[in-house]
Amino acid sequence: MPLALLALTVGAFGIGTTEFVIMGLLPQIAADYGVTIPTAGLLVTGYALGVVIGAPLLTAFGTKVSRKRMLMLLMGLFVLGNLLSALAPSFGLMLTGRIVASLAHGSFFGIGSVVAAELVAPDKKAGAIATMFTGLTVANIVGVPLGTFIGQAVGWRITFAIVAALGVIGFLGIAKLVPAMPRPEGARLRGELKAFRNPQVLLAMAMTVLGFGGVFAAITYIAPMMTHVAGYADGSVTWLLVLFGIGMFLGNLLGGRFADRALMPMLYTALGGLAVVLALFTVTAHNKILAAITILLVGALGFATVPPLQKRVLDQAHGAPTLASAVNIGAFNLGNALAAWLGGLVIAAGLGYTAPNWVGAALAAAALGLAFWSAALERRTRAAGTDAPAVETGSPAGAAGTSVGTSAGTPVHH
């Protein structure tokens, strides 16, 4: 793997840390600003909405500049947002800082995925994407617990200042290590928007919303589920989330490895397994050991879908992958918000803290159904003789060896 991927991974680590560390620091932030915990929760909601909105807008702007320059601009925006959060004298400015930082999130992962895929051979593309996303998964193992500890020990503002410093390192790494990649010939916003006319692109994004949404339906309410149902102490929740992060890390690596060999079979396996494990979680949540194992599996199976889904979007948006790739990152956050809301509804209805697991299982099963539908449509298209990318069946470059665009005349991908 090229050294340039390290710079992208560092940026992903910083973004992953700032996205999730806020959850462990909400009490301190609420106390400092004199607001309630639900009000402080707007810092989480605002970030998620910023990702959904910022991904298409900034990526559309990115069609006018080179991808390397755009990545540097996004890292600069990320640093600015976290510095504002660290220094904000009022809650309103703190929320503004969170939103500014979030605007870079979707576009960084979207454009970064395209760049990562361009850096390697066709049969290594999903692996390259997974390498970049390793930064996000490692953030949940190391960055979030460490950031929470630092914030609780010496102040949450120090945590955000450190995250901003990580952004500076990512910026310098991209400037030094990522090769210059001229804007592809003919790359225009109108061309990028054409990708959304392909039903396969929309189906892949719907799989993203439902599949990873299934994960967040359960994980959003993991604290009350583990303390009230499994019987864990409050202090154990942090380490259970670390276990979830380890699962994400392993799933990301496996998803990247096998998506390059057999993309759709990898999706079938991950989504089907996720639906089953989430359904079983309603039972295993009553036992400490089984609950811990299930949390690990939810993280692994959930994140095993990320590299293949991101690669799927890139393959189907051939010729104009960048905007579709970034919007798919926004789809992950849309799924998170939708699933958290649905999980809250079933708890409020009196169905108990394990009820969100059934919601997650249903969402994952729906995503699996869309995956089978997508493959069936593609087989029908090929049978009709229409020129369309083939479903990957395990050949090194995908079944049809498709590329997703051109950069200076060279086949590229996401």
mmCIF file of all heavy atoms in Angstrom, residues 136 174 330:
data_model
loop_
_atom_site.group_PDB
_atom_site.id
_atom_site.type_symbol
_atom_site.label_atom_id
_atom_site.label_comp_id
_atom_site.label_asym_id
_atom_site.label_seq_id
_atom_site.Cartn_x
_atom_site.Cartn_y
_atom_site.Cartn_z
ATOM 1 N N LEU A 136 -10.715 5.417 10.956
ATOM 2 C CA LEU A 136 -11.989 5.627 11.633
ATOM 3 C C LEU A 136 -12.228 4.557 12.687
ATOM 4 O O LEU A 136 -12.686 4.844 13.799
ATOM 5 C CB LEU A 136 -13.126 5.632 10.608
ATOM 6 C CG LEU A 136 -14.543 5.833 11.136
ATOM 7 C CD1 LEU A 136 -14.692 7.192 11.792
ATOM 8 C CD2 LEU A 136 -15.552 5.672 10.008
ATOM 9 N N ILE A 174 -1.019 14.979 3.805
ATOM 10 C CA ILE A 174 -1.620 15.012 2.459
ATOM 11 C C ILE A 174 -0.789 15.891 1.535
ATOM 12 O O ILE A 174 -0.516 15.531 0.387
ATOM 13 C CB ILE A 174 -3.073 15.518 2.544
ATOM 14 C CG1 ILE A 174 -3.944 14.492 3.263
ATOM 15 C CG2 ILE A 174 -3.632 15.813 1.147
ATOM 16 C CD1 ILE A 174 -5.313 14.999 3.635
ATOM 17 N N GLY A 330 -22.591 10.361 3.539
ATOM 18 C CA GLY A 330 -23.721 11.000 4.194
ATOM 19 C C GLY A 330 -24.832 10.011 4.488
ATOM 20 O O GLY A 330 -25.542 10.126 5.493
#
